[in-house]
Amino acid sequence: GNGSCNVIGNFSSAWGGVAAHHGVNTTWLGGYCSGTPLSDSVAQSVVVPTDPAQRQLAFWIISRRQDPDDPTPDDWFRVTINNTPVLLRNMRQADNTYPNWLRLTVDLSPYSGQTVALKFLVASAGQNTGNVLLDDISLGGCTLQDGLEQVGGSAPPPTPTGEAPQPSTRFQVAPPEAP
């Protein structure tokens, strides 16, 4: 299994050398931890500006699914405000953007002036799942990335020093071992 199921970190080598969109660290949602599909999330409390020109949430993702799609239900990347979905994106192979970053935006005008719970999450519903790398999150021109905190999902302790992590197992279910 993967000894490194952390959600926030420098995952460039695991993602085939793909650099963060900005800075060094990114947020990795989905994938597998010890062969089990991960459903996990990061969240932050934010104040939505009252200025109409400043109410756009913007962020960048890379979507990567190596394993076959599940028949149903599908796996989803979601953005929620106060637990209400404001963006849904399927995580099928057809939705892969790897190795390219894709910019997504959400208009938060309905929440003008409010303090809201912003959450990015991956829901893995089947036997297989996909991965989303998330970076460079901003609202009204202000960067939010540094305030994100992991709020759920399985996150075993990081790999002890001296033990090599195996990041590739986060992308795909490990094949059965030969007898």
Side-chain angles (χ1 to χ4, degrees), residues 86-153:
V86 292
L87 182 141
L88 292 172
R89 183 179 167 84
N90 206 307
M91 290 168 47
R92 299 170 303 203
Q93 287 184 335
D95 300 299
N96 281 352
T97 68
Y98 179 83
N100 302 309
W101 286 98
L102 174 69
R103 185 175 188 262
L104 298 174
T105 60
V106 179
D107 179 10
L108 298 184
S109 292
Y111 304 96
S112 174
Q114 299 177 38
T115 300
V116 298
L118 168 66
K119 185 186 284 188
F120 297 88
L121 63 134
V122 160
S124 298
Q127 294 297 310
N128 297 327
T129 193
N131 303 264
V132 169
L133 208 57
L134 169 69
D135 199 18
D136 212 359
I137 304 159
S138 63
L139 177 60
C142 297
T143 300
L144 303 177
Q145 185 82 7
D146 295 339
L148 289 175
E149 294 180 12
Q150 182 177 347
V151 293

Side-chain angles (χ1 to χ4, degrees), residues 26-68:
T26 56
T27 300
W28 184 350
L29 300 173
Y32 302 90
C33 193
S34 301
T36 303
L38 284 173
S39 290
D40 46 15
S41 58
V42 289
Q44 182 178 353
S45 177
V46 298
V47 177
V48 178
T50 53
D51 179 349
Q54 301 292 312
R55 295 184 201 145
Q56 179 171 271
L57 174 70
F59 54 95
W60 294 79
I61 69 162
I62 297 177
S63 183
R64 184 179 187 188
R65 185 185 188 107
Q66 290 182 219
D67 281 330

